[in-house]
Amino acid sequence: MRFRTVVALIGALALSLVTGCAKGGSAGSSANTVTYWLWDANQLPAYRACAKGFERENPGLKVKITQIGYNDYWTKLTASFIAGTQPDVFTDHIQKFGQFSDLKVLEPLDNLRIKASDYQPGLADNWIGEDGHRYGAPKDWDTVALFYNRKMAKAAGISAEQFDTLSWNPRDGGTFEKAIAHLTVDKNGRRGDEPGFDKNNVKVYGLATGGAGDGSGQIQWSAFTGSAGWSYTDKKRWGTKYNYDSDTFQAIVDWYFGLAKKGYLAPLEVYGDTANPPNAQMAAGKAATAFDGAWLLSTYYGAKGLDVGTARTPVGPTGKRATMMNGLADSVSKGARNKEGARKWVAYLASDACQTLVGEYGIVFPATRAGTKAAVAAYEKQGVDTTAFTQPVADKKDFTTFSFPITNYAADVYALMRPAMQDLYANDAPVSGLDETNRQINFLLNQ
């Protein structure tokens, strides 16, 4: 057994001890039932509708869907692999792919004959393992953009056109930092760029905090590092060297977390890492803008009393805008009780039939082009402008899109980078300390 597999198993076993795994088969598992886990309650009705369509096409087969909240989902899923209570099929995240690859808990899906051209660019290829086999069928995708409070923007004299033409650099923050400073208001009504501004008593922060993040910085700093030309690893997929020791990366995160020292971004201790997400801060009137993902479009637009607009990510030093483009997939557990039924269900989930149906619910962008088209139409009916999220996928001239880093030891990278980033944000630790963290990560990757 390879060293990295042993390390991954130790981590997974620790999780199982915390959650208290019960021995035995998956609940509801039988020859004519496929068990399926997902985490998003908003998507549950759409996938129940897909299950009905699947059952009509496959008489005798039933799909049992279990929804588990995101924070508990991964702990319970990892523990289930150890206990032997895993679902037949589950919603998978690319950030977890490396860990599950190490654990060897995924069933190859080569026989599904997934064609990359049937899906939005890059989504299918990301789920090819280091061994060349497919382990996920494309499900949906998301990008990141800037949400802003229209009322606060109007009071600050910043137009929608100005939001959409912001640029930044790590030296002085560019027009992006100027806008964020002007949107920040202290308890006495002074703006962040006005004399006498009290950075220690802020009423409205110009930019909502997404916490310290981890090694990906999806809704925190990834739009900045991407538009500066920095890459997480030495290869697009299955890299063997991380680049957190890069001068470019360290200068960017030093500038980004420095926004908190200036009072434009809430200090970590104000909202913590997870208790009050950016959408809650904006809904409460505590922040004027927020970087966030397409999966929360309906949440922002549906927030009571919040008139929200969206803008593209700012132009960076490369002259381009950038956003992470994440894509979820459906995977089959290697220990699935009903593998034949599981493969059929995954194939149906990845089809235009299911993805178009999901798109019509207007809650997420499905992976197929037809599914995406249906979602855009559904959002438009709700009065939701999706341009800031969909344009990066189609416009490669002005945008750079990139994925979560896909490597082995994914759980260990997270465990090392998360406290390191918290130290930068909360304790003003020097960014040069990331050199040692990066060395530890690369040591693991090369075992």
Side-chain angles (χ1 to χ4, degrees), residues 162-192:
Q162 286 174 300
F163 271 112
D164 226 20
T165 56
L166 296 176
S167 62
W168 79 279
N169 65 73
R171 297 182 305 280
D172 61 17
T175 57
F176 170 78
E177 183 172 329
K178 288 180 180 178
I180 296 305
H182 194 59
L183 286 163
T184 302
V185 182
D186 70 14
K187 66 176 184 179
N188 296 313
R190 294 189 182 91
R191 296 189 176 275

Side-chain angles (χ1 to χ4, degrees), residues 62 74 100 119 124 222 256 283 295 325 402 429 435 440 445:
K62 297 291 182 182
W74 299 109
F100 293 150
Y119 306 93
S222 71
Y256 175 78
W295 63 92
M325 183 179 178
F402 52 91
D435 289 352
Q440 293 171 356
L445 256 62

Side-chain angles (χ1 to χ4, degrees), residues 40-43 147 279 283 292-306 308 310 358-365 375-376 378-386 389:
D40 191 343
N42 292 328
Q43 296 184 42
F147 290 89
N279 64 286
D292 223 329
W295 63 92
L296 285 174
L297 264 167
S298 297
T299 300
Y300 277 91
Y301 275 85
K304 186 177 180 180
L306 176 62
V308 69
T310 55
V358 172
E360 290 171 353
Y361 276 73
I363 49 174
V364 69
F365 295 118
V376 170
Y379 277 123
E380 287 178 349
K381 287 182 179 179
Q382 300 172 29
V384 176
D385 182 6
T386 63
F389 298 91

